[in-house]
Amino acid sequence: MCRNLFDLSGKVAVVTGGTTGLGHAIALGLAEAGADVVPSSRRQDEVEKSSAEIAALGRRSLSVTCDVLDRASLQALQAAVLKEFSKVDILVNAAGITHSAPTLEVDEADWSTVVETNLTGTLRACQIFGATMAHAGYGRIINIASLSSFVSFYRVAAYSASKAAVASLTKSLAIELARNGVNVNAIAPGIFPTPLNDLLIQGTPRGEELLLRTPMGRFGKAQEVAGTAIYLASEAAAFVTGVVIPVDGGFLASGVNQ
Protein backbone atom coordinates (compact mmCIF):
# COMPACT_ATOMS: atom_id res chain seq x y z
CA MET A 1 0.00 0.00 0.00
CA CYS A 2 2.79 2.43 0.87
CA ARG A 3 4.40 1.80 -2.49
CA ASN A 4 1.18 2.67 -4.29
CA LEU A 5 0.88 5.94 -2.35
CA PHE A 6 4.10 7.16 -3.98
CA ASP A 7 3.39 5.75 -7.45
CA LEU A 8 3.07 8.52 -10.05
CA SER A 9 2.10 6.25 -12.93
CA GLY A 10 -0.42 7.95 -15.21
CA LYS A 11 0.48 11.43 -13.95
CA VAL A 12 1.79 14.20 -16.20
CA ALA A 13 4.41 16.57 -14.80
CA VAL A 14 5.90 19.80 -16.13
CA VAL A 15 9.18 21.05 -14.66
CA THR A 16 10.30 24.57 -15.52
CA GLY A 17 14.04 24.85 -15.11
CA GLY A 18 13.97 21.09 -15.53
CA THR A 19 17.10 20.66 -17.62
CA THR A 20 19.84 21.58 -15.14
CA GLY A 21 20.62 21.43 -11.43
CA LEU A 22 17.91 20.52 -8.96
CA GLY A 23 15.12 20.88 -11.53
CA HIS A 24 16.78 18.25 -13.69
CA ALA A 25 17.16 15.87 -10.74
CA ILE A 26 13.50 16.37 -9.82
CA ALA A 27 12.37 15.75 -13.41
CA LEU A 28 14.26 12.46 -13.51
CA GLY A 29 12.97 11.50 -10.06
CA LEU A 30 9.35 12.08 -11.06
CA ALA A 31 9.89 9.96 -14.16
CA GLU A 32 11.46 7.17 -12.12
CA ALA A 33 8.38 7.27 -9.89
CA GLY A 34 6.19 6.64 -12.95
CA ALA A 35 5.17 10.06 -14.27
CA ASP A 36 5.39 11.29 -17.82
CA VAL A 37 7.56 14.39 -17.54
CA VAL A 38 8.12 17.49 -19.66
CA PRO A 39 11.34 19.23 -18.56
CA SER A 40 11.52 22.72 -20.00
CA SER A 41 13.93 25.65 -20.04
CA ARG A 42 15.16 28.29 -22.46
CA ARG A 43 17.74 26.24 -24.38
CA GLN A 44 16.50 23.83 -27.03
CA ASP A 45 19.55 21.57 -26.85
CA GLU A 46 19.19 21.10 -23.09
CA VAL A 47 15.47 20.47 -23.43
CA GLU A 48 16.03 17.80 -26.07
CA LYS A 49 18.73 16.11 -24.00
CA SER A 50 16.59 16.03 -20.86
CA SER A 51 13.51 14.83 -22.73
CA ALA A 52 15.60 11.99 -24.18
CA GLU A 53 16.66 11.02 -20.66
CA ILE A 54 13.00 10.86 -19.63
CA ALA A 55 12.19 8.72 -22.64
CA ALA A 56 15.10 6.40 -21.80
CA LEU A 57 13.37 5.72 -18.48
CA GLY A 58 10.33 4.47 -20.40
CA ARG A 59 8.24 7.60 -19.90
CA ARG A 60 6.68 9.96 -22.40
CA SER A 61 8.02 13.49 -22.78
CA LEU A 62 8.11 16.54 -25.05
CA SER A 63 10.86 18.90 -26.18
CA VAL A 64 9.35 22.36 -25.68
CA THR A 65 11.31 25.40 -24.53
CA CYS A 66 9.98 28.11 -22.25
CA ASP A 67 11.16 31.30 -20.57
CA VAL A 68 9.43 32.15 -17.30
CA LEU A 69 9.93 35.84 -18.14
CA ASP A 70 7.66 35.35 -21.16
CA ARG A 71 4.02 34.52 -20.36
CA ALA A 72 3.31 33.56 -23.97
CA SER A 73 6.03 30.91 -23.90
CA LEU A 74 4.53 29.36 -20.77
CA GLN A 75 1.11 29.38 -22.38
CA ALA A 76 2.59 27.69 -25.46
CA LEU A 77 4.24 25.08 -23.23
CA GLN A 78 0.95 24.29 -21.53
CA ALA A 79 -0.85 24.12 -24.88
CA ALA A 80 1.69 21.62 -26.19
CA VAL A 81 1.41 19.48 -23.06
CA LEU A 82 -2.40 19.51 -23.16
CA LYS A 83 -2.39 18.60 -26.85
CA GLU A 84 -0.11 15.62 -26.22
CA PHE A 85 -1.34 14.43 -22.81
CA SER A 86 -4.77 16.10 -22.38
CA LYS A 87 -3.91 17.14 -18.80
CA VAL A 88 -1.30 18.47 -16.40
CA ASP A 89 -1.23 16.93 -12.93
CA ILE A 90 2.05 18.24 -11.51
CA LEU A 91 3.93 21.52 -11.92
CA VAL A 92 7.41 22.07 -10.49
CA ASN A 93 8.74 25.62 -10.63
CA ALA A 94 12.53 25.20 -10.57
CA ALA A 95 13.67 28.02 -12.86
CA GLY A 96 15.77 30.53 -10.96
CA ILE A 97 18.80 32.82 -10.99
CA THR A 98 20.91 34.67 -8.45
CA HIS A 99 23.06 37.79 -8.36
CA SER A 100 25.76 38.72 -5.85
CA ALA A 101 26.31 42.37 -4.91
CA PRO A 102 26.36 44.60 -1.82
CA THR A 103 22.73 45.45 -1.10
CA LEU A 104 23.38 49.20 -0.92
CA GLU A 105 24.94 49.07 -4.37
CA VAL A 106 22.84 46.51 -6.21
CA ASP A 107 21.70 47.76 -9.60
CA GLU A 108 17.92 48.03 -9.92
CA ALA A 109 17.98 46.23 -13.24
CA ASP A 110 19.82 43.26 -11.71
CA TRP A 111 17.43 43.27 -8.75
CA SER A 112 14.41 43.32 -11.06
CA THR A 113 15.73 40.47 -13.20
CA VAL A 114 16.20 38.21 -10.18
CA VAL A 115 12.77 39.03 -8.74
CA GLU A 116 11.08 38.74 -12.15
CA THR A 117 12.61 35.32 -12.72
CA ASN A 118 12.36 33.74 -9.29
CA LEU A 119 9.12 35.27 -8.02
CA THR A 120 7.07 36.62 -10.90
CA GLY A 121 8.17 33.75 -13.15
CA THR A 122 6.85 31.33 -10.55
CA LEU A 123 3.62 33.31 -10.32
CA ARG A 124 3.15 33.22 -14.10
CA ALA A 125 3.55 29.45 -14.25
CA CYS A 126 1.25 28.98 -11.25
CA GLN A 127 -1.41 31.17 -12.84
CA ILE A 128 -1.29 29.42 -16.21
CA PHE A 129 -1.04 25.80 -15.08
CA GLY A 130 -2.89 26.33 -11.80
CA ALA A 131 -6.00 27.58 -13.59
CA THR A 132 -6.07 24.41 -15.69
CA MET A 133 -5.57 22.25 -12.61
CA ALA A 134 -8.33 24.07 -10.72
CA HIS A 135 -10.71 23.55 -13.62
CA ALA A 136 -9.85 19.83 -13.66
CA GLY A 137 -10.28 19.60 -9.88
CA TYR A 138 -6.83 18.12 -9.28
CA GLY A 139 -3.24 19.29 -9.20
CA ARG A 140 0.06 19.38 -7.40
CA ILE A 141 2.20 22.53 -7.57
CA ILE A 142 5.71 22.39 -6.11
CA ASN A 143 7.67 25.62 -5.90
CA ILE A 144 11.38 25.84 -5.15
CA ALA A 145 12.03 28.09 -2.19
CA SER A 146 15.40 28.30 -0.41
CA LEU A 147 17.13 28.43 2.95
CA SER A 148 17.12 32.17 2.26
CA SER A 149 13.34 32.06 2.50
CA PHE A 150 14.07 31.85 6.24
CA VAL A 151 17.57 33.25 6.85
CA SER A 152 19.62 35.86 5.03
CA PHE A 153 22.69 35.10 2.97
CA TYR A 154 25.46 37.64 2.49
CA ARG A 155 25.21 39.94 -0.56
CA VAL A 156 22.37 38.12 -2.33
CA ALA A 157 19.48 40.27 -1.13
CA ALA A 158 17.52 40.07 -4.37
CA TYR A 159 17.67 36.28 -4.33
CA SER A 160 16.77 36.11 -0.63
CA ALA A 161 13.88 38.54 -1.03
CA SER A 162 12.54 36.66 -4.03
CA LYS A 163 12.72 33.29 -2.29
CA ALA A 164 11.09 34.61 0.89
CA ALA A 165 8.31 35.83 -1.36
CA VAL A 166 8.06 32.44 -3.09
CA ALA A 167 7.39 30.88 0.31
CA SER A 168 4.66 33.43 0.97
CA LEU A 169 3.19 33.01 -2.52
CA THR A 170 3.09 29.25 -1.96
CA LYS A 171 0.94 29.70 1.15
CA SER A 172 -1.37 32.21 -0.53
CA LEU A 173 -1.98 29.93 -3.50
CA ALA A 174 -2.46 26.95 -1.21
CA ILE A 175 -5.38 28.49 0.67
CA GLU A 176 -6.95 29.82 -2.53
CA LEU A 177 -6.76 26.56 -4.45
CA ALA A 178 -7.36 24.04 -1.66
CA ARG A 179 -11.06 23.64 -2.42
CA ASN A 180 -10.27 23.11 -6.11
CA GLY A 181 -8.26 19.98 -5.37
CA VAL A 182 -4.92 21.68 -6.02
CA ASN A 183 -2.17 21.29 -3.41
CA VAL A 184 0.57 23.93 -3.41
CA ASN A 185 3.78 23.34 -1.49
CA ALA A 186 7.44 24.26 -1.70
CA ILE A 187 10.83 22.70 -1.12
CA ALA A 188 13.60 24.73 0.52
CA PRO A 189 16.85 23.09 -0.59
CA GLY A 190 19.95 23.43 1.54
CA ILE A 191 23.35 23.83 -0.06
CA PHE A 192 23.54 21.88 -3.30
CA PRO A 193 26.36 22.62 -5.75
CA THR A 194 24.72 23.55 -9.08
CA PRO A 195 25.70 25.74 -12.03
CA LEU A 196 23.76 28.52 -10.26
CA ASN A 197 26.02 28.70 -7.21
CA ASP A 198 29.15 26.69 -7.99
CA LEU A 199 31.53 29.64 -8.06
CA LEU A 200 30.17 30.96 -4.77
CA ILE A 201 30.57 27.80 -2.67
CA GLN A 202 33.15 25.44 -4.13
CA GLY A 203 36.47 25.90 -2.34
CA THR A 204 35.58 29.35 -0.98
CA PRO A 205 35.36 30.81 2.54
CA ARG A 206 31.61 31.07 1.97
CA GLY A 207 31.44 27.37 1.18
CA GLU A 208 33.49 26.52 4.28
CA GLU A 209 31.10 28.53 6.46
CA LEU A 210 28.09 26.82 4.91
CA LEU A 211 29.59 23.41 5.62
CA LEU A 212 30.29 24.44 9.21
CA ARG A 213 26.65 25.44 9.63
CA THR A 214 25.35 22.16 8.15
CA PRO A 215 25.30 19.45 10.83
CA MET A 216 25.73 16.67 8.24
CA GLY A 217 29.02 18.34 7.28
CA ARG A 218 28.56 18.07 3.53
CA PHE A 219 26.75 19.61 0.60
CA GLY A 220 23.64 17.91 -0.71
CA LYS A 221 23.44 15.77 -3.81
CA ALA A 222 20.88 16.87 -6.38
CA GLN A 223 19.01 13.57 -6.34
CA GLU A 224 18.40 14.01 -2.60
CA VAL A 225 15.78 16.64 -3.40
CA ALA A 226 13.87 14.34 -5.74
CA GLY A 227 12.34 12.21 -2.98
CA THR A 228 10.63 15.20 -1.38
CA ALA A 229 9.26 16.25 -4.77
CA ILE A 230 7.93 12.75 -5.37
CA TYR A 231 6.24 12.80 -1.96
CA LEU A 232 4.60 16.19 -2.55
CA ALA A 233 3.45 15.11 -6.02
CA SER A 234 1.96 11.85 -4.77
CA GLU A 235 -1.17 10.73 -3.00
CA ALA A 236 0.93 10.31 0.14
CA ALA A 237 0.71 14.11 0.45
CA ALA A 238 -2.99 14.39 -0.36
CA PHE A 239 -3.69 16.34 2.86
CA VAL A 240 -0.53 18.45 2.73
CA THR A 241 -0.73 21.98 1.37
CA GLY A 242 0.81 25.35 2.12
CA VAL A 243 4.04 24.02 3.62
CA VAL A 244 7.70 24.69 2.85
CA ILE A 245 9.82 21.61 3.49
CA PRO A 246 13.55 22.12 4.09
CA VAL A 247 15.93 19.54 2.63
CA ASP A 248 19.04 20.97 4.19
CA GLY A 249 21.11 18.50 6.17
CA GLY A 250 19.97 20.15 9.38
CA PHE A 251 21.02 23.71 8.48
CA LEU A 252 17.89 25.44 9.79
CA ALA A 253 17.91 23.40 12.99
CA SER A 254 21.51 24.31 13.68
CA GLY A 255 22.72 26.54 16.49
CA VAL A 256 26.18 25.52 17.65
CA ASN A 257 27.70 22.56 15.82
CA GLN A 258 30.87 22.07 17.86
Side-chain angles (χ1 to χ4, degrees), residues 14 16 34 41 51-52 59 73 101 131 151 154 159 198 205 209 214 217 252:
V14 173
T16 66
S41 66
S51 296
R59 312 302 177 209
S73 78
V151 296
Y154 187 64
Y159 180 82
D198 228 23
E209 181 180 350
T214 303
L252 291 175

Side-chain angles (χ1 to χ4, degrees), residues 22-37:
L22 299 184
H24 181 244
I26 289 170
L28 293 178
L30 295 175
E32 288 171 350
D36 296 321
V37 182

Side-chain angles (χ1 to χ4, degrees), residues 110-157:
D110 292 328
W111 173 282
S112 295
T113 299
V114 172
V115 173
E116 273 288 303
T117 302
N118 296 354
L119 174 60
T120 312
T122 295
L123 172 66
R124 290 186 187 101
C126 287
Q127 287 178 326
I128 291 165
F129 288 90
T132 297
M133 292 175 177
H135 180 74
Y138 180 90
R140 300 285 188 267
I141 295 175
I142 304 168
N143 296 325
I144 302 301
S146 168
L147 293 183
S148 62
S149 298
F150 305 98
V151 296
S152 293
F153 280 26
Y154 187 64
R155 289 188 172 182
V156 286

